[in-house]
Amino acid sequence: MKKIQFDCIILLYTVYKTAVIFLDTIKIKSRAKINLTLDVISKRPDGYHNLEMIMQTLELGDDILIKKSGGGVTVKTDAAGIPSDGRNTAYKAASLFIKEYGIGCGVEINITKRVPAEAGLAGGSGDAAAVLKGMDALFATGITEKELLRMGAEIGSDVPFCIMEGTALAKGRGEILERLAPCPKFYVVLAKPDEGVSTADIFGSLDAGSISWRPDSRKVIKAINEGDKNGVLNNLGNVLEEVTAKRLPVINDVKAFLNLHGAGGALMSGSGSTVFALFNTEADARAAAEAAKKEFMFKDVLVTETFNP
Ligand code: C5P
C-alpha cells in the first residue's frame, strides 16, 4: 500500500531544473543580482544607454507559485507597495507568454517577496524571468533559451540575465550576454537605504560626458578566470554610484562603514539604492550586517551569497 502511494506521488510531480511541478501548479525561485562592474558607454537614440557590466546572481530570491486558472492573469504578493496589475513585471511576463504561445487558460501568480524593490537588485526582473521559465515548464512548451531571452528583453533590460543566471558580461541595453566562468564564492551583505530610487530617474540624471572614472571589466574577467578574489575586489566599480549618491549621500556612508567592518570591497548595485559588500566568510558577513543594522536602522540589511548554477 505504501509503495503504491509512493508511486502515485512520483507520478504526480516532476522536478524541472529548479522548479517543482505539481499537477497544475509550479513553484519556482527567482534570484537577485548585483553588478560587480557597471559602465555606461553611450546614450542611444531609443532613450536607453549602452552599458558594459559584469553581473552576478545571488542566492537570495523570491518564491513564485504559478497556478493554471480559468482565464486572465492575477498576481498577488505579500509585500506592500508592489503593484499587482500590468505594471508588475511578473504580470507582464505571464501576459506575454499567454499571448505569444496561444495558451488557452490563465494563471494565478503568488509571490513571496524577499528581494527589496527599487534596490538595484533586479527584484522585478528576476520575478519576470522566473515566470517565463516557470510557464515554459508548466505548459511544457519546450521553448529554446534563445527564445526565452528574447521575450525577457521585451519586459526589461535585466530580465535576460535573470533567465541565464550565474556570472556574465552584459552589453547593449543589458540583453547582450556572454557567460563568464563562475565568480569565486563570496558572502554578500546587502544594505538598502529605506528610500529606493527609480532606474529611469537615475539614468535620466546621468551626464554621460562627465564620467571621470570607469571600471575596467576586463580586469575583473581576468581575475574571475584566475580565481583571484582580490583581483575582483580591487576592480569593483559602478559609474551610476556617484549619480545616486548625490540624491542619497548615505550610500557613501554605508560603503565606508562596511569597508571598515571587514568587507573586502563594497559598491552600489545597479542604479541603487542597495550597497553590497563582499566577504570571505559567512561569520564576517553576519557580524558586519548586524553592525550596519544598528548603525543605519534600515529595514533591509540582508546576508546572502553568490550563486552559480
Ligand atoms: O529596461 P528597464 O525597463 O529595466 O529600464 C528601466 C529604465 O532604465 C528605462 O526606461 C531607461 O530609462 C533606463 N535604462 C537605460 N539604459 C539601459 C537600461 C535602462 O537608460 N541600458
Side-chain angles (χ1 to χ4, degrees):
M1 181 63 187
K2 265 200 179 140
K3 168 86 172 64
I4 293 167
Q5 276 179 356
F6 186 68
D7 285 347
C8 286
I9 290 166
I10 293 287
L11 277 172
L12 283 172
Y13 77 84
T14 310
V15 176
Y16 184 90
K17 292 180 184 168
T18 57
V20 178
I21 308 172
F22 192 87
L23 290 178
D24 59 351
T25 304
I26 186 167
K27 187 177 175 195
I28 188 162
K29 183 170 177 174
S30 72
R31 287 192 177 84
K33 63 85 185 159
I34 50 174
N35 299 82
L36 301 176
T37 63
L38 192 161
D39 194 7
V40 179
I41 309 296
S42 57
K43 184 154 187 196
R44 304 163 29 139
D46 63 4
Y48 282 86
H49 293 78
N50 282 314
L51 308 176
E52 186 173 281
M53 17 182 210
I54 297 180
M55 327 259 290
Q56 174 61 48
T57 303
L58 300 178
E59 187 55 52
L60 173 78
D62 300 338
D63 282 332
I64 303 195
L65 203 69
I66 310 170
K67 189 174 186 298
K68 290 181 189 172
S69 72
V73 175
T74 55
V75 176
K76 284 184 197 147
T77 78
D78 62 346
I82 307 257
S84 52
D85 54 19
R87 291 167 296 167
N88 186 298
T89 50
Y91 186 106
K92 286 183 194 170
S95 307
L96 182 67
F97 195 97
I98 287 171
K99 189 178 109 207
E100 292 222 358
Y101 286 90
I103 304 295
C105 64
V107 284
E108 282 171 27
I109 300 173
N110 265 287
I111 307 179
T112 306
K113 288 297 291 180
R114 292 194 192 86
V115 182
E118 295 202 312
L121 299 171
S125 301
D127 290 351
V131 166
L132 292 177
K133 287 202 275 192
M135 286 183 72
D136 177 35
L138 187 61
F139 293 102
T141 27
I143 302 170
T144 60
E145 188 178 54
K146 193 171 167 213
E147 178 60 5
L148 276 178
L149 295 173
R150 181 199 61 76
M151 278 203 278
E154 274 192 40
I155 297 158
S157 307
D158 285 341
V159 179
F161 172 73
C162 294
I163 291 170
M164 183 188 251
E165 295 192 319
T167 311
L169 175 68
K171 291 186 178 172
R173 271 201 300 136
E175 84 287 19
I176 303 171
L177 296 170
E178 183 189 323
R179 185 178 286 289
L180 300 175
C183 181
K185 173 103 173 169
F186 287 107
Y187 291 89
V188 185
V189 172
L190 302 170
K192 182 190 166 278
D194 288 344
E195 203 176 323
V197 289
S198 130
T199 304
D201 281 358
I202 297 303
F203 274 105
S205 3
L206 171 78
D207 173 7
S210 74
I211 298 170
S212 54
W213 181 86
R214 294 170 183 281
D216 186 344
S217 293
R218 271 150 304 272
K219 285 189 181 158
V220 178
I221 294 171
K222 184 169 178 285
I224 287 172
N225 287 335
E226 292 170 357
D228 169 13
K229 285 185 145 186
N230 285 332
V232 174
L233 294 168
N234 294 337
N235 289 290
L236 301 172
N238 179 347
V239 301
L240 296 179
E241 191 178 78
E242 210 181 312
V243 183
T244 310
K246 269 196 191 131
R247 294 183 185 204
L248 295 174
V250 72
I251 284 171
N252 294 325
D253 304 336
V254 177
K255 261 184 81 172
F257 183 89
L258 290 169
N259 277 323
L260 265 178
H261 284 74
L267 189 74
M268 187 184 81
S269 185
S271 55
S273 58
T274 302
V275 172
F276 70 86
L278 303 180
F279 295 82
N280 284 322
T281 70
E282 186 175 358
D284 287 351
R286 294 212 175 274
E290 281 312 309
K293 260 184 215 164
K294 282 196 193 114
E295 176 75 13
F296 297 102
M297 311 287 277
F298 296 155
K299 192 163 63 67
D300 292 309
V301 179
L302 305 162
V303 179
T304 182
E305 58 195 81
T306 52
F307 171 85
N308 280 90

